[in-house]
Amino acid sequence: MVAQRAIYLPLGGAGEIGMNAYVYGYGKPDQERLILVDLGVTFPDMDGTPGVNLILPDITWLKERRDRLEAIFITHAHEDHVGAVGHFYEQLGVPIYARAFTSNIARRKLEEYGIGADAVKTVGAWPEKVKAGPFEVSFLPISHSIPESSALVLDCPDGRIVHTGDFKLDQTPLVGEAYDPALWAEVAKPGVKALVCDSTNVFSPHAGRSEATLGPDIEKLVSDATGMVVATTFASNVARVKTLAEAGDRAGRSICLLGRAMRRMIEASIETGVLTNFPNVIGPEDAVQMPRENVMLLVTGSQGERRAASAQLARGKYNGLVLKEGDTFLFSSKTIPGNERGVIRIINQFSELGVDVIDDSNGLYHVSGHANRPDLAAMHDIVNPQMVIPMHGEHRHLREHAKLAESKGRAGIVAVNGMMLNLSGNAPTVAEYVETGRTYLDGSVQIGAMDGVVRDRIRMALNGHVIVTVILDEEDEPLGDPWCDVMGLPAQGRGNAPLVDVLEADLSQFLGRAGAKTLTDDSKLEEGLRRTARQTTNDEVGKKPEVTVIVSRLG
């Protein structure tokens, strides 16, 4: 008889930070009943994914087994955990379970696709359980930088698995539930088979600080400022937004929220009861009319996003509001690696306006939402699992986290996207490898990372584009000379002649030399014209462009 097994399979989020999607299963090999934990996105950049709107996990493996998928569970409402639910819901077609605040955000995403609110089921915290095939799933409160973050307690016939989600050990988070070590010890008491654990800050050697430690320094900064004060942070960090708003309120300033994401998060927090006593806010039309020293703006765009409120203010004006010399702009946030260029651009633009920019380089105005190394060790000790499986991190984070687990005598393994683990033994073992990758949302269409669309776009961006058009008559003879359209290339080459003229002359010479075998065969003719155009352009301007050849035949 074939033994049943518990499996873990990351399709996104392991070996990277973002795009989280983790599959768990239990049953006979290749017959396991499955659940999915989180379904998030990551964001494109102009260097590697120009023009792409969003990057989604490739869930082909899961779609092919949708008849075995029981449910989707969302740990919290950050985009890298919930952002893809609308894009994939109809392809998977199973219930989505989340706590109230996360449910509110998930439903808003599904509404954009015409999907009804009943697709998302709101669940209470531990000890409430959801039955999903062979699993019983509970949402275990844990602190993070967004309200109602939860770990998941996954009980199956092979034992208890704890999936931490993103977390920090904050007992005074200001908004949302505090970390409760007694509750976690109670959950761990029956024994935990595997701890699947956030690895983001494994290289940070000092214990994490509480959100509550920031208030006094932020209040002093705001009260000492003379002109208008503007602050940006992650819109989802509702506790920080509240801290900033209260600092402004105590300094006698009216609070104005700018940016759709900021308003949406505060609305969702109030609707679901996780946020209370938020200071009264005014609209931008009122802020424009008030003395500058009586206004504080809380704005989106802490990561330098071009269309966010911060960037638009830096470019001159947003909703009628203009920053001037003597105003103060605070980044109450950490710049995520890869976003430095956008943030520095905004800082320089504000500097040109005479605005004083303050970032978190001194550690006074931001604390991380992820557990540092000592906190990860404390989590290992309180849960005391048989095995630790690092997730939510780049490869270097996963490897270091596995070493941390092994230093305390616990089994650890580095499992990247596509590596399916068997959790049923005394230590995790690799069961098989699954092909994974990325799906791009390009405009309104999902495309595969290997489809060539983005690759062609990068090549055109780097090397330009030439369109060659040729007409042949009924006798398969060229009707006039070929002509070219050139994009993204210099107008003149080394010989100081127009590049288009040189290209058309060389292409005419190629046609004049071409024999009947070439002129009657579209593929040979296109290849010859393409090769000639690339060679000429390389000789003239040192670039080998993308070339599109259009052959039209009369008759």
Side-chain angles (χ1 to χ4, degrees):
M1 183 176 175
V2 179
Q4 301 193 91
R5 65 182 184 180
I7 62 167
Y8 161 79
L9 170 63
L11 297 177
E16 62 191 344
I17 295 177
M19 206 175 73
N20 295 277
Y22 306 95
V23 177
Y24 291 89
Y26 182 81
K28 294 179 181 178
D30 300 319
Q31 298 177 36
E32 297 95 349
R33 303 302 299 177
L34 308 170
I35 60 172
L36 177 63
V37 173
D38 291 336
L39 190 53
V41 301
T42 193
F43 296 97
D45 61 73
M46 286 303 294
D47 292 334
T49 47
V52 169
N53 297 67
L54 280 177
I55 303 174
L56 318 169
D58 180 353
I59 62 166
T60 301
W61 184 90
L62 195 58
K63 286 189 288 186
E64 291 170 351
R65 293 157 180 81
R66 62 176 290 177
D67 60 318
R68 290 159 45 193
L69 181 65
E70 300 282 351
I72 300 169
F73 295 87
I74 308 296
T75 59
H76 64 286
H78 276 147
E79 286 295 298
D80 60 328
H81 294 259
V82 73
V85 292
H87 303 288
F88 288 134
Y89 177 77
E90 291 186 335
Q91 299 172 44
L92 297 176
V94 295
I96 298 169
Y97 293 93
R99 296 187 63 200
F101 177 81
T102 307
S103 292
N104 184 293
I105 300 298
R107 288 190 181 108
R108 292 172 187 236
K109 294 186 176 299
L110 294 174
E111 282 172 11
E112 296 174 14
Y113 289 82
I115 299 165
D118 58 350
V120 181
K121 316 295 182 187
T122 300
V123 184
W126 171 275
E128 186 173 327
K129 286 182 166 60
V130 175
K131 178 75 172 162
F135 290 94
E136 286 190 336
V137 182
S138 296
F139 287 82
L140 181 61
I142 188 72
S143 50
H144 184 41
S145 55
I146 192 170
E148 282 191 350
S149 291
S150 298
L152 295 178
V153 182
L154 312 174
D155 288 321
C156 70
D158 205 50
R160 176 164 287 183
I161 301 165
V162 175
H163 181 104
T164 66
D166 296 3
F167 77 97
K168 64 182 295 186
L169 304 185
D170 191 343
Q171 297 188 48
T172 52
L174 302 183
V175 174
E177 295 129 321
Y179 165 62
D180 183 350
L183 177 61
W184 276 74
E186 174 194 325
V187 169
K189 193 172 183 180
V192 173
K193 182 85 169 181
L195 175 68
V196 183
C197 192
D198 179 3
S199 308
T200 310
N201 283 356
V202 68
F203 289 108
S204 299
H206 305 293
R209 293 186 297 140
S210 171
E211 186 68 32
T213 63
L214 298 178
D217 288 310
I218 290 175
E219 285 193 23
K220 184 176 188 311
L221 173 70
V222 176
S223 63
D224 290 349
T226 53
M228 187 182 290
V229 175
V230 186
T232 186
T233 189
F234 300 98
S236 58
N237 193 340
V238 176
R240 184 72 48 77
V241 176
K242 185 179 183 184
T243 296
L244 291 164
E246 288 178 341
D249 189 53
R250 290 194 184 103
R253 295 174 180 266
S254 295
I255 307 303
C256 178
L257 304 179
L258 292 181
R260 190 166 61 97
M262 186 76 73
R263 294 193 302 273
R264 188 175 68 239
M265 282 291 173
I266 296 303
E267 287 169 5
S269 302
I270 293 171
E271 283 175 16
T272 54
V274 299
L275 179 62
T276 56
N277 301 319
F278 192 79
N280 292 329
V281 299
I282 61 172
E285 64 282 356
D286 295 320
V288 171
Q289 306 297 324
M290 298 182 69
R292 311 184 68 73
E293 63 274 13
N294 292 349
V295 175
M296 181 172 181
L297 310 180
L298 302 182
V299 303
T300 55
S302 67
Q303 300 305 302
E305 302 93 328
R306 285 182 175 273
R307 290 184 294 177
S310 294
Q312 296 199 55
L313 284 168
R315 289 195 293 267
K317 182 183 286 189
Y318 183 61
N319 282 1
L321 292 158
V322 177
L323 296 195
K324 299 178 179 178
E325 186 166 356
D327 292 341
T328 299
F329 191 98
L330 168 65
F331 282 90
S332 181
S333 55
K334 174 186 176 182
T335 302
I336 296 171
N339 294 339
E340 295 90 349
R341 188 182 303 172
V343 171
I344 290 170
R345 181 182 64 249
I346 286 174
I347 291 172
N348 280 315
Q349 288 172 323
F350 278 135
S351 181
E352 291 170 9
L353 296 173
V355 175
D356 295 322
V357 179
I358 299 168
D359 62 20
D360 191 54
S361 54
N362 57 12
L364 296 178
Y365 309 114
H366 176 69
V367 293
S368 175
H370 294 271
N372 292 350
R373 188 184 187 91
D375 310 313
L376 293 174
M379 176 61 77
H380 294 184
D381 289 343
I382 199 164
V383 175
N384 194 25
Q386 192 172 337
M387 58 187 82
V388 174
I389 301 166
M391 55 94 183
H392 201 287
E394 298 167 3
H395 194 280
R396 62 194 178 99
H397 298 104
L398 306 185
R399 187 164 175 259
E400 187 66 18
H401 196 170
K403 287 181 182 178
L404 176 64
E406 290 161 357
S407 71
K408 294 286 191 74
R410 299 184 178 97
I413 190 171
V414 176
V416 295
N417 295 339
M419 185 185 293
M420 182 191 292
L421 298 185
N422 182 349
L423 306 181
S424 291
N426 293 321
T429 58
V430 178
E432 61 179 280
Y433 292 91
V434 168
E435 189 172 327
T436 59
R438 296 180 162 207
T439 302
Y440 297 140
L441 181 68
D442 195 51
S444 59
V445 179
Q446 289 183 26
I447 59 173
M450 304 305 292
D451 289 357
V453 175
V454 174
R455 181 186 64 230
D456 290 347
R457 194 175 290 158
I458 291 171
R459 286 176 174 171
M460 284 189 284
L462 293 173
N463 298 305
H465 188 208
V466 175
I467 301 173
V468 179
T469 304
V470 176
I471 300 176
L472 293 96
D473 63 19
E474 297 89 338
E475 308 281 318
D476 295 318
E477 291 294 326
L479 193 65
D481 293 325
W483 70 90
C484 298
D485 293 300
V486 174
M487 290 174 282
L489 289 163
Q492 289 186 323
R494 288 196 175 97
N496 292 323
L499 176 60
V500 169
D501 292 353
V502 179
L503 276 166
E504 290 175 350
D506 286 358
L507 291 164
S508 292
Q509 287 186 23
F510 168 79
L511 284 178
R513 295 191 304 267
K517 284 186 176 179
T518 299
L519 292 173
T520 57
D521 186 325
D522 279 3
S523 61
K524 287 183 179 178
L525 181 58
E526 288 174 13
E527 179 55 32
L529 291 166
R530 182 179 294 108
R531 193 183 315 115
T532 301
R534 296 193 80 201
Q535 185 60 54
T536 297
T537 309
N538 190 46
D539 292 343
E540 286 292 310
V541 300
K543 291 283 188 180
K544 289 187 176 180
E546 293 298 290
V547 178
T548 300
V549 178
I550 301 170
V551 177
S552 299
R553 295 182 183 273
L554 301 179

